[in-house]
Amino acid sequence: KYQNQWSWALHGVTPLGTQGTNSTQQRPSKLGDAMEFEGMKTTLLATFEQLDGAEQGWTAKLFSNLFDDPGLCCYSCCCPCILQGQISQKQGRNCLGSCLCTCCCPLCATFGYAVPDRHQTGKATYVEDLVAMSCCAGICGRVQLAKELKVGVPKDAKKLQEDAKASAELLKQESAAAPAPAADTIKR
């Protein structure tokens, strides 16, 4: 079990017969090790189950159902900016802004789009959403949210054109709703 001094040190015990140790020092009991392992196992399983999302009401689990749709998993891995744009669009946010932000500054996209998009579902706290979007570079969280919102790999070119037109229209509406700069700031 304890193959070298480092594994002994991890358990807070030094090997018998080494310099500077007390000869009465004992190895930890096997029963104590088993109880410690079972406690860690229980804690890790509970944490895993909570993060997996079944208790919060997610239809797709964070880790357990990741590879149910391999195409979506690959899409999230290879084209995260496009998938994040689709998710944001489905949530009523700017697809193009989300896509560009995910492409250019992933950290900004995590806090500006990914976590708020997940939180908008109302199934988890901000901390749980942040953990889910931090796991595996956001792939797991993005796949789970895409399955929940029923977005993903586009099936046909016509759907892509419709999505692009909808994004352009949303961008026009947002720019039209933005207040115009004051006249004195334009002259500067």
Side-chain angles (χ1 to χ4, degrees), residues 41-58 60-64 123 128 144:
K41 180 180 169 185
T42 303
T43 302
L44 287 173
L45 285 174
T47 303
F48 176 80
E49 288 173 2
Q50 184 176 3
L51 284 175
D52 212 22
E55 294 176 6
Q56 288 87 8
W58 291 92
K61 295 180 181 175
L62 186 63
F63 304 110
S64 305
K123 297 185 181 195
E128 291 167 336
Q144 182 187 34

Side-chain angles (χ1 to χ4, degrees), residues 128-147:
E128 291 167 336
D129 291 332
L130 181 60
V131 169
M133 290 312 297
S134 300
C135 177
C136 302
I139 294 169
C140 300
R142 199 174 296 112
V143 167
Q144 182 187 34
L145 187 56
K147 286 179 180 179

